[in-house]
């Protein structure tokens, strides 16, 4: 059965050292570079293995007219001026640019399925197994995994390819998701 790799929010404002989003990863620690390098390798491995690669980016209108303002997370996006459509910050980070044949989806929320058509794309391709990578773990990764599980997908979360600036929240999210998905390290994936 074909598989898909869902890569969430590998964008400049979210991952780059000069990015504006403060809660995605700890830019002062040594972990981000290892996380990014491992995530790039997993994308390449999945691509070489014939998996469907799905890049999901988050971006908002210049005036944030499409930004949900119901929670601190989204309010912080507006306060920092992050991930505006067409900006450097909303663009794919170097090494994470989509390639021909990859699927690229844009949304304005945490859940990779919400408003993207992802479920239809996966079903059209006969995919029932997905692996999820990206950030932040307790936000976009967990939202996407929960939705995928509810839709009946067999889900794998790639532990060393998920990150958050909040270590305890990252660990708690992985623990919770272990009831909905297989939690594996990248070295344990079979492409």
């Amino acid at each position: 059965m074909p598989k898909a790799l869902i890569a969430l929010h590998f964008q400049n404002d979210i991952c780059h050292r000069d990015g504006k989003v403060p809660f995605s990863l700890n830019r002062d620690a040594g972990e981000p570079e290892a996380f990014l390098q491992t995530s790039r390798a997993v994308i390449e491995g999945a691509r070489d293995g014939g998996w469907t690669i799905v890049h999901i980016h988050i971006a908002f209108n210049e005036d944030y007219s499409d930004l949900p303002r119901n929670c601190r997370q989204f309010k912080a996006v507006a306060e920092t001026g992050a991930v505006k459509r067409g900006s450097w910050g909303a663009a794919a980070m170097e090494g994470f640019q989509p390639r021909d044949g990859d699927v690229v989806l844009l949304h304005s929320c945490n859940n990779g399925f919400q408003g993207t058509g992802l479920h239809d794309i996966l079903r059209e391709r006969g995919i029932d197994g997905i692996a999820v990578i990206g950030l932040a773990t307790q936000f976009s990764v967990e939202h996407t995994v929960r939705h995928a599980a509810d839709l009946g997908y067999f889900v794998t979360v790639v532990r060393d390819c998920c990150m958050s600036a909040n270590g305890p929240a990252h660990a708690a999210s992985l623990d919770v998701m272990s009831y909905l998905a297989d939690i594996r390290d990248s070295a344990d994936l079979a492409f």
Side-chain angles (χ1 to χ4, degrees):
M1 186 62 82
K3 295 185 179 181
L5 178 69
I6 312 301
L8 291 159
H9 303 164
F10 288 97
Q11 299 165 257
N12 289 319
D13 268 345
I14 297 170
C15 299
H16 193 278
R17 177 167 291 289
D18 297 326
K20 295 179 178 180
V21 176
F23 41 79
S24 55
L25 54 82
N26 183 353
R27 290 172 173 85
D28 298 324
E31 299 167 340
E33 194 50 47
F35 155 74
L36 293 170
Q37 184 176 8
T38 302
S39 298
R40 284 185 196 103
V42 164
I43 292 171
E44 288 305 314
R47 186 178 283 126
D48 291 345
W51 292 29
T52 295
I53 308 300
V54 180
H55 303 270
I56 300 179
H57 293 170
I58 189 168
F60 302 97
N61 292 332
E62 177 75 24
D63 64 356
Y64 291 120
S65 58
D66 58 342
L67 177 77
R69 297 184 188 268
N70 60 326
C71 60
R72 284 180 28 209
Q73 179 190 30
F74 290 126
K75 289 177 186 175
V77 168
E79 289 167 4
T80 61
V83 287
K84 292 181 179 181
R85 281 191 179 88
S87 70
W88 170 86
M93 189 169 171
E94 185 175 343
F96 290 94
Q97 297 92 339
R99 295 203 187 148
D100 289 343
D102 291 355
V103 175
V104 182
L105 302 173
L106 185 68
H107 69 161
S108 57
C109 61
N110 284 300
N111 180 349
F113 286 89
Q114 182 69 36
T116 63
L118 176 59
H119 181 55
D120 292 335
I121 291 166
L122 297 176
R123 286 296 180 221
E124 287 169 6
R125 295 173 183 226
I127 294 168
D128 68 355
I130 65 171
V132 181
I133 66 174
L135 56 177
T137 311
Q138 74 275 22
F139 298 125
S140 299
V141 172
E142 187 171 333
H143 276 70
T144 300
V145 167
R146 286 176 178 273
H147 197 116
D150 282 351
L151 291 172
Y153 290 97
F154 296 96
V155 183
T156 299
V157 175
V158 187
R159 178 189 347 254
D160 52 339
C161 293
C162 295
M163 172 118 349
S164 171
N166 183 327
H170 167 80
S173 182
L174 289 171
D175 184 50
V176 167
M177 287 189 289
S178 72
Y179 291 90
L180 305 169
D182 289 332
I183 310 296
R184 296 187 181 190
D185 289 321
S186 58
D188 299 325
L189 291 179
F191 300 115

